[in-house]
Amino acid sequence: YIITGWKGKCIRLFNKTLRKLSLLNIHSVPKTENQSLSPVLMDDSSPAIISFSSGSSGASKAVVRTHGTLNAQFNALKNHIKLADTNRMCTNFPVVILLNLGLGICTVLSENIVMSNLKKSKIGDLYNELLSKSVTHLAMSPFLLINLAKYSLYRSLNPLKFNQILSGGSPIYPKYAEMLV
């Protein structure tokens, strides 16, 4: 099944692979009796989700993530996140949101991050939001981290302080990494 909004339904029309998936319409109530869904056997190679890259370092890409991949990411990342009851993590990575759900970590979803085009994100508003919502952890793309660092540096603002910063996807060069600490 695929759960999506109207944009996803439109994209589905032009993508042969997505057309093979059944739509699960969560916006309307079926006119017939509810059908029971039978459990489907899954293994590590079974597709779990399709995620889309932000395209910050090139064209946006669709990535099929299997149950095995998600489980491996969960196990790898959970060993690197400093767990505490007071964690408040802001992230733009859907996989990290799933991880946080599994670990019980509070996730701050920012409306200032434009996932479909990170260049349209409101960095100044994001900076203020991170301060006002007492975010303790960041898991963001290098593009957002670098722009947050530049924003505070060029405006002579206090740099944001976090217990932990996680990033990935594209490289963070030494001169930018120094801006983040």
Side-chain angles (χ1 to χ4, degrees), residues 33-151:
E33 288 186 34
N34 289 338
Q35 296 175 336
S36 62
L37 297 175
S38 301
V40 177
L41 294 176
M42 298 288 162
D43 62 26
D44 282 352
S45 64
S46 299
I49 63 172
I50 298 172
S51 60
F52 294 88
S53 70
S54 64
S56 61
S57 61
S60 184
K61 296 167 261 332
V63 180
V64 176
R65 298 189 189 272
T66 64
H67 287 275
T69 299
L70 290 178
N71 192 43
Q73 286 178 320
F74 180 84
N75 289 325
L77 288 171
K78 76 179 181 182
N79 296 325
H80 295 285
I81 294 179
K82 298 173 185 171
L83 295 174
D85 291 341
T86 57
N87 284 10
R88 294 178 59 84
M89 181 183 287
C90 184
T91 184
N92 73 309
F93 297 131
V95 169
V96 175
I97 295 169
L98 291 174
L99 171 77
N100 289 352
L101 283 170
L103 295 175
I105 294 174
C106 176
T107 303
V108 175
L109 299 175
S110 176
E111 57 189 44
N112 296 304
I113 299 173
V114 180
M115 288 299 296
S116 59
N117 186 346
L118 289 179
K119 294 174 184 165
K120 292 183 179 178
S121 297
K122 300 173 188 165
I123 299 299
D125 292 341
L126 178 60
Y127 175 92
N128 292 324
E129 180 181 29
L130 294 173
L131 282 175
S132 69
K133 293 192 176 172
S134 304
V135 171
T136 60
H137 291 63
L138 285 184
M140 291 187 173
S141 67
F143 178 85
L144 287 174
L145 290 174
I146 290 165
N147 280 290
L148 275 169
K150 286 179 179 179
Y151 178 85

Side-chain angles (χ1 to χ4, degrees), residues 158-173:
N158 290 329
L160 296 167
K161 300 286 182 193
F162 301 100
N163 294 342
Q164 190 172 32
I165 299 174
L166 303 169
S167 190
S170 60
I172 298 179
Y173 299 103

